[in-house]
C-alpha cells in the first residue's frame, strides 16, 4: 500500500551518498583576543595589517592530523529559547619529544583560545574573543614499549556563535 502525503513541506533534503568526503588536514590554534567570527573572516580577506594581526595571534599549528584520531562533537543546545553550541574536539598526537610535551603543557591547560580546522575543501572557525575555548593536554603515555604512547589535545567550551565554515578555493 502506498501512502501519499498531501501536506506541503517547507524543506526537502536529499541525501547525497557520493564519494566526496571530508578529511581533516590541519588545525590552527589562536589566542582568543582576535577571534570574533565575523572579524576573523574580514581579516582574512581584507588588509595586510589585519592578516598580520591574525598571524601574531596564531600560537600553534598541528599538521598531518590523523583522521581516525580526530574526534569532533558540536552539539546545538538551547536554554529558554537561546541557542548555544557545546564544542568537544580531541586530537591524538604520537611520538612527541619530551620537551614538546612540556611546552604544550605550559602553553595550554587553560581557557583562552579559538581554533580553525581545515579539511581539503573547508575551514571551520570556532571560538571568539568573548567565549574562548579551553584546551587541555591529556597524557596517555603508557611507557610499555609498544609504541602506544600519545598525548591528547582536548578542546572544549560553549559558544553562542555557530561555527563559521569557509570554502577553500
Amino acid at each position: 500500500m502506498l501512502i501519499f502525503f498531501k501536506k506541503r513541506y517547507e524543506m526537502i533534503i536529499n541525501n547525497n551518498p557520493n564519494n566526496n568526503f571530508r578529511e581533516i588536514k590541519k588545525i590552527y590554534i589562536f589566542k582568543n583576543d582576535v577571534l570574533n567570527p565575523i572579524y576573523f573572516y574580514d581579516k582574512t580577506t581584507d588588509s595586510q595589517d589585519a592578516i598580520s594581526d591574525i598571524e601574531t595571534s596564531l600560537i600553534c599549528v598541528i599538521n598531518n592530523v590523523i583522521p581516525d584520531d580526530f574526534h569532533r562533537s558540536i552539539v546545538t543546545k538551547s536554554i529558554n529559547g537561546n541557542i548555544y553550541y557545546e564544542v568537544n574536539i580531541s586530537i591524538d598526537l604520537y611520538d612527541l619529544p619530551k620537551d614538546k610535551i612540556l611546552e604544550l603543557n605550559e602553553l595550554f591547560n587553560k581557557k583562552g583560545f579559538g581554533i580553525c580546522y581545515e579539511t581539503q575543501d573547508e575551514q571551520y572557525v570556532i571560538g571568539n574573543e568573548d567565549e574562548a575555548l579551553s584546551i587541555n593536554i591529556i597524557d596517555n603515555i603508557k611507557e610499555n614499549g609498544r609504541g602506544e604512547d600519545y598525548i591528547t589535545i582536548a578542546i572544549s567550551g560553549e559558544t553562542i556563535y555557530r561555527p563559521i565554515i569557509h570554502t577553500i578555493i
Side-chain angles (χ1 to χ4, degrees):
M1 171 182 211
L2 293 174
I3 299 174
F4 295 97
F5 295 100
K6 294 184 179 184
K7 181 182 187 283
R8 183 181 171 128
Y9 296 98
E10 292 185 29
M11 180 187 304
I12 296 175
I13 299 173
N14 294 316
N15 192 15
N16 186 9
N18 59 25
N19 291 332
N20 292 336
F21 58 92
R22 290 183 181 105
E23 183 174 288
I24 184 75
K25 300 291 184 191
K26 187 180 290 194
I27 298 172
Y28 303 92
I29 301 174
F30 297 89
K31 290 183 278 185
N32 73 323
D33 57 352
V34 203
L35 283 176
N36 168 320
I38 292 168
Y39 189 45
F40 181 88
Y41 183 75
D42 289 346
K43 283 187 163 197
T44 60
T45 58
D46 286 339
S47 72
Q48 187 62 39
D49 292 337
I51 291 171
S52 67
D53 285 348
I54 282 200
E55 289 172 352
T56 60
S57 293
L58 179 64
I59 57 173
C60 183
V61 177
I62 302 170
N63 290 312
N64 304 319
V65 175
I66 299 168
D68 288 343
D69 293 330
F70 174 74
H71 307 282
R72 172 189 164 258
S73 170
I74 301 172
V75 179
T76 304
K77 294 190 171 188
S78 175
I79 295 178
N80 298 326
N82 297 314
I83 293 176
Y84 69 98
Y85 302 89
E86 185 178 88
V87 177
N88 287 296
I89 296 172
S90 67
I91 311 105
D92 296 336
L93 302 176
Y94 297 88
D95 200 27
L96 290 178
K98 180 178 152 186
D99 61 329
K100 188 63 74 178
I101 294 170
L102 293 172
E103 188 178 338
L104 287 172
N105 276 303
E106 287 178 24
L107 188 60
F108 298 125
N109 290 320
K110 58 188 166 196
K111 187 173 184 175
F113 305 97
I115 67 163
C116 173
Y117 70 87
E118 190 174 279
T119 68
Q120 72 273 21
D121 297 321
E122 298 164 329
Q123 286 183 331
Y124 295 75
V125 179
I126 306 170
N128 61 68
E129 56 194 9
D130 297 326
E131 299 176 19
L133 300 173
S134 295
I135 299 182
N136 294 300
I137 305 301
I138 302 168
D139 184 340
N140 294 304
I141 296 176
K142 299 181 193 248
E143 311 249 9
N144 62 6
R146 294 185 184 168
E148 299 171 346
D149 296 339
Y150 63 96
I151 64 160
T152 299
I153 295 182
I155 303 164
S156 62
E158 294 177 349
T159 179
I160 60 171
Y161 296 106
R162 177 180 48 219
I164 304 266
I165 303 170
H166 301 288
T167 302
I168 298 173
I169 299 174

